[in-house]
Amino acid sequence: MSQQPQQDIMDKIVSLCKRRGFIFQSSEIYGGLASTWDYGPLGAELKRNLKEAWWRSNVYERDDIEGLDASILMHPMTWMASGHVTSFEDTLADCKSCKKRFKVEHLVKNKCPECGGDVTEPRQFNLMLKTYLGAVENEASLTYLRPETAQGIFVNFQNVVNASRKKIPFGIAQIGKAFRNEVTTGNFTFRSREFEQMEIEFFVKPGTDEEWYKKWVEDRFDWYIKFGIKKENLRKRPHEKHELAHYAKSCTDIEYKFPFSTKGARLPDGQGSASGGGWSELEGIANRTDFDLKQHMNLSTKDLQYFDEETRERYIPYVIEPSGGIDRSILAFLTDSYREEKVKDEKRVVLGLHRKLAPIKAAILPLLKNRDEIVKIGKSLAADLRKSMRVMYDDTASIGRLYRRQDEIGTPYCITVDVESLTDKKVTVRDRDSMKQDRVSLPQVKEYLLEKFE
Ligand code: GAP
């Protein structure tokens, strides 16, 4: 795979996603809606598995994080307080010749980077998507589709403290949709206008923030490795001062080496290039200080301070925020696990997805679809396994084809039922990666698989 041109790999991923039902262009029958995507049957499973893995690692396996599911629509004052109304902007210029629109930082000597034409005066462009609530569309009914899930956590800080009785340091985790009217789009799902975030706001005592910030950078980096991203394709990149968001004291991006151009990504001088080596942000870990809680305290006039019962101190906590994107992660997990191999002179495409992420856990493939007894065993095994995991039954091609189909979508185990199964009551379980085969007795198959998915 490393020998293939980067764009080639990207094209193959996009094509596989459409052909096998991972990701479709939104509203495709109407010509599509730019930078919006729909997850098909396998994509929906992969997404669910990814969210489950993140939630399990961060909420269930720790005792210092609670979950939240806040609404997308929030009081418009939220976005005044957060600074998004005034600061969540791109500065853009239009090319007078080819009419394309660019961020000012992407112009080349103040000319269009594509055709070299003259550009218009730069204009500020707010990325928040507006909407109106109620019957009348005016300034009073104006609100926004949230551009980050984080603010739902900040405005609920006091509610969660009161309800959960959690003591600082503790965090609140949330997975949900966010919307941005992005102007530089492209690269498949990488920069979409509707996307999902997985965010944690981790509240700490001021003075301990640096230590927690470092811990979270390591923790989140290791998480991607744990779920299968190759270490050589992942790096940590601390932000330069001029790159920091308006709320951040420091920030480190976890970047993935995507197989596309880094044009349009925020990169400091000398890193990446417009033609390849696509190191781009997968997740950012920011030290947001007490910026957000302070702002909400000021605008709402509610006391959002934390009272430490042990030390009798009252203070506004600092916040460390690991903020990742579901869609970008899916794209990274797909591209990282994609490989092409030669098996007996035939090409085999494999998605070597981590077992926990794989959309289909096992496929049941009867060797002879015309033998009722074989079909019966296969269908009854599938029905039993379905109670515990997502499985697929397929008898619509030769066994070689059936294996290839499952390899290409990342199914870790294929189970074949053959003539011998009728007498020895065993089936063959084939491992996707090693292609090693085990003969397993029918009553033991479920346990055999469940053990692999623990
Ligand atoms: N609350 C902090 C925050 O929203 P961000 O760096 O703007 O920070 C966090 O976004 C993560 O959300 C990014 O690392 C990325 O994975 C994802 N993300 C942001 N904008 C996106 C977009 N337009 N399309 C897809 N994912 C996006």
Side-chain angles (χ1 to χ4, degrees):
M1 173 162 154
S2 55
Q3 269 88 35
Q4 297 185 47
Q6 299 283 291
Q7 193 51 48
D8 219 36
I9 294 165
M10 201 60 204
D11 290 346
K12 284 178 179 174
I13 298 289
V14 174
S15 151
L16 188 149
C17 281
K18 168 145 196 214
R19 194 163 36 79
R20 299 307 310 274
F22 280 93
I23 302 172
F24 308 125
Q25 170 78 68
S26 163
S27 324
E28 195 181 4
I29 60 167
Y30 291 106
L33 181 68
S35 299
T36 51
W37 303 94
D38 298 339
Y39 287 79
L42 294 180
E45 293 294 337
L46 174 56
K47 209 180 204 195
R48 282 173 63 101
N49 294 343
L50 181 79
K51 291 184 198 177
E52 164 69 17
W54 184 87
W55 195 267
R56 186 161 286 283
S57 303
N58 291 299
V59 182
Y60 292 0
E61 290 173 12
R62 302 178 64 115
D63 68 354
D64 57 359
I65 296 194
E66 295 289 331
L68 182 77
D69 187 359
S71 58
I72 288 170
L73 296 172
M74 300 182 70
H75 195 289
M77 289 293 280
T78 308
W79 308 111
M80 298 293 291
S82 69
H84 283 83
V85 171
T86 48
S87 305
F88 198 52
E89 292 182 328
D90 275 341
T91 312
L92 304 174
D94 294 321
C95 174
K96 291 180 185 166
S97 307
C98 70
K99 309 289 177 208
K100 288 195 178 145
R101 182 166 286 176
F102 300 95
K103 288 188 185 177
V104 164
E105 61 263 35
H106 298 146
L107 298 179
V108 179
K109 293 186 179 147
N110 257 338
K111 299 273 187 195
C112 171
E114 298 235 331
C115 73
D118 288 335
V119 295
T120 58
E121 281 298 308
R123 284 182 303 122
Q124 296 299 112
F125 184 84
N126 194 293
L127 298 179
M128 279 199 294
L129 277 149
K130 292 182 180 136
T131 191
Y132 297 90
L133 296 183
V136 186
E137 287 189 15
N138 59 22
E139 276 300 305
S141 64
L142 169 69
T143 190
Y144 304 92
L145 301 185
R146 68 181 176 196
E148 61 170 9
T149 66
Q151 297 306 323
I153 298 180
F154 291 124
V155 300
N156 276 297
F157 168 68
Q158 217 43 282
N159 284 337
V160 176
V161 171
N162 294 340
S164 70
R165 316 228 45 85
K166 277 272 180 261
K167 306 262 177 286
I168 274 176
F170 86 97
I172 304 176
Q174 171 163 232
I175 295 177
K177 290 259 182 179
F179 302 81
R180 295 181 190 178
N181 198 3
E182 298 281 5
V183 279
T184 44
T185 54
N187 289 331
F188 200 24
T189 54
F190 180 81
R191 188 167 282 113
S192 312
R193 292 191 168 119
E194 174 178 341
F195 56 97
E196 273 186 280
Q197 290 186 314
M198 38 191 190
E199 296 199 298
I200 298 166
E201 305 305 322
F202 199 80
F203 301 92
V204 304
K205 191 169 181 183
T208 64
D209 49 309
E210 283 301 322
E211 180 195 332
W212 277 106
Y213 169 66
K214 285 187 197 135
K215 260 194 209 154
W216 273 110
V217 171
E218 294 311 314
D219 203 82
R220 293 303 305 145
F221 187 85
D222 292 345
W223 186 83
Y224 289 101
I225 308 279
K226 178 179 169 189
F227 285 96
I229 299 279
K230 295 180 197 78
K231 210 167 181 174
E232 65 269 25
N233 291 335
L234 212 58
R235 74 178 184 188
K236 301 165 204 151
R237 188 179 69 78
H239 279 205
E240 311 259 329
K241 271 259 165 320
H242 70 269
E243 293 178 272
L244 290 172
H246 60 274
Y247 49 72
K249 171 178 162 189
S250 44
C251 183
T252 295
D253 280 349
I254 296 175
E255 293 188 335
Y256 178 72
K257 198 170 192 299
F258 283 97
F260 50 66
S261 148
T262 48
K263 205 170 170 183
R266 289 176 294 165
L267 286 173
D269 291 344
Q271 290 190 3
S273 74
S275 57
W279 288 106
S280 302
E281 178 187 344
L282 194 56
E283 167 157 350
I285 296 97
N287 182 344
R288 287 182 86 129
T289 69
D290 55 2
F291 175 87
D292 300 88
L293 287 179
K294 230 181 199 165
Q295 286 289 101
H296 288 304
M297 239 174 106
N298 288 341
L299 267 78
S300 69
T301 67
K302 298 285 184 307
D303 185 4
L304 301 180
Q305 291 181 96
Y306 173 78
F307 179 64
D308 186 326
E309 281 164 14
E310 266 171 40
T311 62
R312 316 302 293 169
E313 281 174 282
R314 200 175 283 280
Y315 60 85
I316 305 174
Y318 266 40
V319 173
I320 308 304
E321 177 195 64
S323 170
I326 302 272
D327 311 79
R328 276 188 200 177
S329 294
I330 287 178
L331 189 55
F333 281 111
L334 285 172
T335 48
D336 211 73
S337 64
Y338 181 91
R339 63 177 196 264
E340 293 173 4
E341 297 172 349
K342 270 257 156 70
V343 177
K344 292 185 194 145
D345 281 341
E346 269 193 48
K347 187 170 114 178
R348 167 172 110 115
V349 172
V350 187
L351 273 190
L353 288 167
H354 189 284
R355 288 172 196 164
K356 297 245 190 227
L357 302 182
I360 307 292
K361 306 301 182 195
I364 293 96
L365 316 171
L367 277 191
L368 296 170
K369 68 172 175 184
N370 300 328
R371 287 283 296 268
D372 286 349
E373 315 95 284
I374 291 182
V375 168
K376 200 170 158 208
I377 292 178
K379 288 201 167 159
S380 120
L381 177 62
D384 186 36
L385 292 178
R386 266 187 201 117
K387 292 177 197 150
S388 312
M389 64 190 78
R390 187 83 168 104
V391 299
M392 188 184 270
Y393 177 92
D394 192 2
D395 62 6
T396 58
S398 68
I399 188 66
R401 284 276 301 278
L402 293 177
Y403 277 152
R404 299 292 168 265
R405 274 186 199 163
Q406 296 301 325
D407 289 343
E408 196 187 39
I409 61 169
T411 306
Y413 298 100
C414 284
I415 301 170
T416 48
V417 188
D418 53 28
V419 179
E420 257 178 74
S421 307
L422 298 176
T423 48
D424 70 359
K425 307 285 177 233
K426 288 181 178 173
V427 286
T428 302
V429 184
R430 169 196 178 261
D431 180 287
R432 175 195 67 202
D433 299 316
S434 66
M435 289 188 283
K436 202 174 136 283
Q437 305 198 345
D438 269 351
R439 198 78 183 152
V440 181
S441 91
L442 271 164
Q444 241 114 65
V445 174
K446 195 191 239 176
E447 207 182 309
Y448 174 95
L449 291 177
L450 286 175
E451 239 170 57
K452 307 266 187 199
F453 290 105
E454 254 172 28

mmCIF file of all heavy atoms in Angstrom, residues 147-148 150 180 182 189-192 195 197 199 247 266 281-284 288 321 323-325 327-328, ligand 1:
data_model
loop_
_atom_site.group_PDB
_atom_site.id
_atom_site.type_symbol
_atom_site.label_atom_id
_atom_site.label_comp_id
_atom_site.label_asym_id
_atom_site.label_seq_id
_atom_site.Cartn_x
_atom_site.Cartn_y
_atom_site.Cartn_z
ATOM 1 N N PRO A 147 -21.770 24.729 16.865
ATOM 2 C CA PRO A 147 -20.554 24.424 16.105
ATOM 3 C C PRO A 147 -19.593 23.525 16.884
ATOM 4 O O PRO A 147 -18.580 23.092 16.344
ATOM 5 C CB PRO A 147 -19.922 25.811 15.893
ATOM 6 C CG PRO A 147 -20.370 26.597 17.086
ATOM 7 C CD PRO A 147 -21.714 26.057 17.507
ATOM 8 N N GLU A 148 -19.893 23.283 18.153
ATOM 9 C CA GLU A 148 -19.116 22.327 18.969
ATOM 10 C C GLU A 148 -20.061 21.827 20.054
ATOM 11 O O GLU A 148 -20.979 22.544 20.460
ATOM 12 C CB GLU A 148 -17.880 22.998 19.598
ATOM 13 C CG GLU A 148 -18.200 24.152 20.533
ATOM 14 C CD GLU A 148 -16.995 24.651 21.341
ATOM 15 O OE1 GLU A 148 -15.872 24.227 21.074
ATOM 16 O OE2 GLU A 148 -17.213 25.462 22.267
ATOM 17 N N ALA A 150 -19.107 21.139 23.026
ATOM 18 C CA ALA A 150 -18.533 21.555 24.311
ATOM 19 C C ALA A 150 -19.451 22.477 25.130
ATOM 20 O O ALA A 150 -19.565 22.324 26.351
ATOM 21 C CB ALA A 150 -17.199 22.259 24.058
ATOM 22 N N ARG A 180 -20.913 23.278 10.900
ATOM 23 C CA ARG A 180 -20.098 24.450 10.543
ATOM 24 C C ARG A 180 -20.270 24.723 9.058
ATOM 25 O O ARG A 180 -20.202 23.795 8.251
ATOM 26 C CB ARG A 180 -18.602 24.204 10.842
ATOM 27 C CG ARG A 180 -18.342 24.042 12.322
ATOM 28 C CD ARG A 180 -16.881 23.831 12.642
ATOM 29 N NE ARG A 180 -16.770 23.457 14.059
ATOM 30 C CZ ARG A 180 -15.651 23.165 14.683
ATOM 31 N NH1 ARG A 180 -14.503 23.220 14.033
ATOM 32 N NH2 ARG A 180 -15.641 22.831 15.961
ATOM 33 N N GLU A 182 -18.514 25.342 6.614
ATOM 34 C CA GLU A 182 -17.119 25.337 6.166
ATOM 35 C C GLU A 182 -17.005 25.879 4.745
ATOM 36 O O GLU A 182 -17.862 25.608 3.905
ATOM 37 C CB GLU A 182 -16.561 23.909 6.188
ATOM 38 C CG GLU A 182 -16.521 23.258 7.552
ATOM 39 C CD GLU A 182 -15.346 23.722 8.406
ATOM 40 O OE1 GLU A 182 -14.611 24.618 7.966
ATOM 41 O OE2 GLU A 182 -15.180 23.185 9.521
ATOM 42 N N THR A 189 -14.913 12.928 3.786
ATOM 43 C CA THR A 189 -15.613 13.357 5.005
ATOM 44 C C THR A 189 -14.731 14.205 5.921
ATOM 45 O O THR A 189 -15.189 14.619 6.981
ATOM 46 C CB THR A 189 -16.051 12.123 5.815
ATOM 47 O OG1 THR A 189 -14.889 11.312 6.046
ATOM 48 C CG2 THR A 189 -17.073 11.303 5.062
ATOM 49 N N PHE A 190 -13.479 14.456 5.522
ATOM 50 C CA PHE A 190 -12.536 15.098 6.443
ATOM 51 C C PHE A 190 -13.078 16.427 6.987
ATOM 52 O O PHE A 190 -13.027 16.697 8.185
ATOM 53 C CB PHE A 190 -11.182 15.327 5.775
ATOM 54 C CG PHE A 190 -10.203 15.996 6.699
ATOM 55 C CD1 PHE A 190 -9.524 15.252 7.643
ATOM 56 C CD2 PHE A 190 -9.994 17.365 6.662
ATOM 57 C CE1 PHE A 190 -8.649 15.855 8.538
ATOM 58 C CE2 PHE A 190 -9.133 17.981 7.551
ATOM 59 C CZ PHE A 190 -8.450 17.213 8.488
ATOM 60 N N ARG A 191 -13.545 17.279 6.092
ATOM 61 C CA ARG A 191 -14.113 18.549 6.555
ATOM 62 C C ARG A 191 -15.544 18.640 6.039
ATOM 63 O O ARG A 191 -15.777 18.942 4.877
ATOM 64 C CB ARG A 191 -13.268 19.734 6.091
ATOM 65 C CG ARG A 191 -13.709 21.038 6.711
ATOM 66 C CD ARG A 191 -12.731 22.171 6.534
ATOM 67 N NE ARG A 191 -11.611 22.084 7.450
ATOM 68 C CZ ARG A 191 -10.351 21.855 7.092
ATOM 69 N NH1 ARG A 191 -10.048 21.718 5.824
ATOM 70 N NH2 ARG A 191 -9.388 21.781 7.990
ATOM 71 N N SER A 192 -16.497 18.341 6.907
ATOM 72 C CA SER A 192 -17.900 18.311 6.515
ATOM 73 C C SER A 192 -18.635 19.475 7.158
ATOM 74 O O SER A 192 -18.118 20.106 8.082
ATOM 75 C CB SER A 192 -18.550 17.010 6.983
ATOM 76 O OG SER A 192 -17.751 15.909 6.645
ATOM 77 N N PHE A 195 -21.207 17.144 11.161
ATOM 78 C CA PHE A 195 -20.302 16.070 11.579
ATOM 79 C C PHE A 195 -20.553 15.767 13.050
ATOM 80 O O PHE A 195 -21.362 16.432 13.698
ATOM 81 C CB PHE A 195 -18.836 16.472 11.337
ATOM 82 C CG PHE A 195 -18.429 17.762 11.998
ATOM 83 C CD1 PHE A 195 -17.781 17.770 13.223
ATOM 84 C CD2 PHE A 195 -18.718 18.979 11.398
ATOM 85 C CE1 PHE A 195 -17.416 18.957 13.843
ATOM 86 C CE2 PHE A 195 -18.362 20.180 12.012
ATOM 87 C CZ PHE A 195 -17.712 20.165 13.227
ATOM 88 N N GLN A 197 -18.895 15.009 16.918
ATOM 89 C CA GLN A 197 -17.718 15.162 17.785
ATOM 90 C C GLN A 197 -17.827 14.233 18.982
ATOM 91 O O GLN A 197 -18.930 13.861 19.402
ATOM 92 C CB GLN A 197 -17.626 16.604 18.296
ATOM 93 C CG GLN A 197 -17.266 17.611 17.223
ATOM 94 C CD GLN A 197 -17.036 18.986 17.805
ATOM 95 O OE1 GLN A 197 -17.833 19.455 18.631
ATOM 96 N NE2 GLN A 197 -15.979 19.655 17.395
ATOM 97 N N GLU A 199 -16.390 14.632 22.687
ATOM 98 C CA GLU A 199 -15.664 15.640 23.484
ATOM 99 C C GLU A 199 -15.750 15.343 24.977
ATOM 100 O O GLU A 199 -16.772 14.884 25.478
ATOM 101 C CB GLU A 199 -16.237 17.035 23.229
ATOM 102 C CG GLU A 199 -16.054 17.496 21.789
ATOM 103 C CD GLU A 199 -16.188 19.013 21.637
ATOM 104 O OE1 GLU A 199 -17.267 19.548 21.936
ATOM 105 O OE2 GLU A 199 -15.217 19.646 21.225
ATOM 106 N N TYR A 247 -9.987 30.613 22.959
ATOM 107 C CA TYR A 247 -10.202 30.196 24.340
ATOM 108 C C TYR A 247 -9.019 29.417 24.922
ATOM 109 O O TYR A 247 -9.031 29.034 26.079
ATOM 110 C CB TYR A 247 -11.458 29.316 24.425
ATOM 111 C CG TYR A 247 -11.489 28.198 23.393
ATOM 112 C CD1 TYR A 247 -10.665 27.092 23.493
ATOM 113 C CD2 TYR A 247 -12.354 28.276 22.301
ATOM 114 C CE1 TYR A 247 -10.678 26.083 22.557
ATOM 115 C CE2 TYR A 247 -12.377 27.264 21.339
ATOM 116 C CZ TYR A 247 -11.547 26.168 21.483
ATOM 117 O OH TYR A 247 -11.562 25.172 20.541
ATOM 118 N N ARG A 266 -4.438 23.497 8.813
ATOM 119 C CA ARG A 266 -3.650 24.501 9.522
ATOM 120 C C ARG A 266 -2.318 23.885 9.870
ATOM 121 O O ARG A 266 -2.231 23.021 10.727
ATOM 122 C CB ARG A 266 -4.375 24.893 10.808
ATOM 123 C CG ARG A 266 -5.606 25.699 10.585
ATOM 124 C CD ARG A 266 -6.300 25.964 11.879
ATOM 125 N NE ARG A 266 -6.804 24.737 12.455
ATOM 126 C CZ ARG A 266 -7.203 24.606 13.703
ATOM 127 N NH1 ARG A 266 -7.126 25.600 14.508
ATOM 128 N NH2 ARG A 266 -7.664 23.470 14.155
ATOM 129 N N GLU A 281 -5.314 17.213 11.383
ATOM 130 C CA GLU A 281 -5.868 17.035 12.731
ATOM 131 C C GLU A 281 -6.952 15.967 12.799
ATOM 132 O O GLU A 281 -7.919 15.997 12.049
ATOM 133 C CB GLU A 281 -6.452 18.376 13.193
ATOM 134 C CG GLU A 281 -7.107 18.314 14.548
ATOM 135 C CD GLU A 281 -7.818 19.613 14.915
ATOM 136 O OE1 GLU A 281 -7.551 20.641 14.274
ATOM 137 O OE2 GLU A 281 -8.639 19.573 15.847
ATOM 138 N N LEU A 282 -6.744 15.089 13.775
ATOM 139 C CA LEU A 282 -7.739 14.063 14.068
ATOM 140 C C LEU A 282 -8.481 14.465 15.339
ATOM 141 O O LEU A 282 -9.683 14.308 15.461
ATOM 142 C CB LEU A 282 -6.965 12.751 14.295
ATOM 143 C CG LEU A 282 -7.666 11.427 14.306
ATOM 144 C CD1 LEU A 282 -8.447 11.219 13.028
ATOM 145 C CD2 LEU A 282 -6.616 10.319 14.439
ATOM 146 N N GLU A 283 -7.709 14.977 16.266
ATOM 147 C CA GLU A 283 -8.264 15.380 17.569
ATOM 148 C C GLU A 283 -7.384 16.491 18.141
ATOM 149 O O GLU A 283 -6.171 16.496 17.922
ATOM 150 C CB GLU A 283 -8.261 14.159 18.505
ATOM 151 C CG GLU A 283 -8.517 14.491 19.952
ATOM 152 C CD GLU A 283 -9.065 13.313 20.764
ATOM 153 O OE1 GLU A 283 -9.433 12.282 20.179
ATOM 154 O OE2 GLU A 283 -9.124 13.470 21.994
ATOM 155 N N GLY A 284 -7.991 17.414 18.869
ATOM 156 C CA GLY A 284 -7.212 18.456 19.540
ATOM 157 C C GLY A 284 -7.401 18.334 21.048
ATOM 158 O O GLY A 284 -8.511 18.084 21.524
ATOM 159 N N ARG A 288 -8.360 24.898 28.055
ATOM 160 C CA ARG A 288 -9.298 26.016 27.845
ATOM 161 C C ARG A 288 -9.336 26.952 29.046
ATOM 162 O O ARG A 288 -10.154 27.879 29.083
ATOM 163 C CB ARG A 288 -10.713 25.496 27.559
ATOM 164 C CG ARG A 288 -10.876 24.893 26.180
ATOM 165 C CD ARG A 288 -12.307 24.426 25.897
ATOM 166 N NE ARG A 288 -13.150 25.496 25.394
ATOM 167 C CZ ARG A 288 -13.898 25.427 24.295
ATOM 168 N NH1 ARG A 288 -13.932 24.334 23.563
ATOM 169 N NH2 ARG A 288 -14.643 26.449 23.919
ATOM 170 N N GLU A 321 -9.613 19.895 27.493
ATOM 171 C CA GLU A 321 -10.614 19.397 26.546
ATOM 172 C C GLU A 321 -10.010 18.509 25.457
ATOM 173 O O GLU A 321 -9.409 19.004 24.510
ATOM 174 C CB GLU A 321 -11.306 20.586 25.858
ATOM 175 C CG GLU A 321 -12.300 20.138 24.815
ATOM 176 C CD GLU A 321 -12.720 21.259 23.883
ATOM 177 O OE1 GLU A 321 -11.872 21.781 23.134
ATOM 178 O OE2 GLU A 321 -13.896 21.640 23.939
ATOM 179 N N SER A 323 -10.885 16.816 22.263
ATOM 180 C CA SER A 323 -12.022 16.970 21.341
ATOM 181 C C SER A 323 -11.703 16.304 20.011
ATOM 182 O O SER A 323 -10.862 16.765 19.243
ATOM 183 C CB SER A 323 -12.283 18.467 21.134
ATOM 184 O OG SER A 323 -13.206 18.648 20.088
ATOM 185 N N GLY A 324 -12.390 15.198 19.753
ATOM 186 C CA GLY A 324 -12.128 14.439 18.521
ATOM 187 C C GLY A 324 -13.340 14.416 17.613
ATOM 188 O O GLY A 324 -14.450 14.722 18.029
ATOM 189 N N GLY A 325 -13.103 14.032 16.378
ATOM 190 C CA GLY A 325 -14.197 13.945 15.404
ATOM 191 C C GLY A 325 -14.464 12.485 15.051
ATOM 192 O O GLY A 325 -13.538 11.730 14.773
ATOM 193 N N ASP A 327 -16.222 11.432 12.431
ATOM 194 C CA ASP A 327 -16.101 11.217 10.984
ATOM 195 C C ASP A 327 -14.636 11.135 10.558
ATOM 196 O O ASP A 327 -14.261 10.284 9.754
ATOM 197 C CB ASP A 327 -16.835 12.334 10.236
ATOM 198 C CG ASP A 327 -18.228 12.518 10.790
ATOM 199 O OD1 ASP A 327 -18.369 13.152 11.863
ATOM 200 O OD2 ASP A 327 -19.174 11.991 10.200
ATOM 201 N N ARG A 328 -13.831 12.014 11.122
ATOM 202 C CA ARG A 328 -12.395 11.970 10.792
ATOM 203 C C ARG A 328 -11.766 10.686 11.303
ATOM 204 O O ARG A 328 -10.900 10.105 10.666
ATOM 205 C CB ARG A 328 -11.678 13.165 11.412
ATOM 206 C CG ARG A 328 -11.791 14.351 10.535
ATOM 207 C CD ARG A 328 -10.937 15.484 11.024
ATOM 208 N NE ARG A 328 -11.444 16.698 10.434
ATOM 209 C CZ ARG A 328 -10.984 17.896 10.679
ATOM 210 N NH1 ARG A 328 -9.981 18.045 11.518
ATOM 211 N NH2 ARG A 328 -11.511 18.943 10.097
HETATM 212 N N1 GAP B 1 -14.549 22.048 21.158
HETATM 213 C C1 GAP B 1 -13.311 22.211 20.465
HETATM 214 C C2 GAP B 1 -13.418 22.046 19.029
HETATM 215 O O1 GAP B 1 -14.516 21.970 18.488
HETATM 216 P P1 GAP B 1 -12.019 21.782 16.850
HETATM 217 O O2 GAP B 1 -10.549 21.523 16.686
HETATM 218 O O3 GAP B 1 -12.614 22.873 16.089
HETATM 219 O O4 GAP B 1 -12.220 21.979 18.407
HETATM 220 C C3 GAP B 1 -12.534 19.250 17.246
HETATM 221 O O5 GAP B 1 -12.801 20.442 16.536
HETATM 222 C C4 GAP B 1 -12.548 18.052 16.324
HETATM 223 O O6 GAP B 1 -13.774 18.012 15.592
HETATM 224 C C5 GAP B 1 -11.456 18.089 15.240
HETATM 225 O O7 GAP B 1 -10.242 17.552 15.719
HETATM 226 C C6 GAP B 1 -12.059 17.226 14.153
HETATM 227 O O8 GAP B 1 -11.816 15.842 14.397
HETATM 228 C C7 GAP B 1 -13.548 17.487 14.302
HETATM 229 N N2 GAP B 1 -13.982 18.489 13.290
HETATM 230 C C8 GAP B 1 -13.917 19.830 13.383
HETATM 231 N N3 GAP B 1 -14.417 20.421 12.280
HETATM 232 C C9 GAP B 1 -14.805 19.396 11.472
HETATM 233 C C10 GAP B 1 -15.407 19.335 10.183
HETATM 234 N N4 GAP B 1 -15.748 20.448 9.526
HETATM 235 N N5 GAP B 1 -15.658 18.130 9.641
HETATM 236 C C11 GAP B 1 -15.344 16.995 10.302
HETATM 237 N N6 GAP B 1 -14.786 16.986 11.526
HETATM 238 C C12 GAP B 1 -14.520 18.172 12.106
#
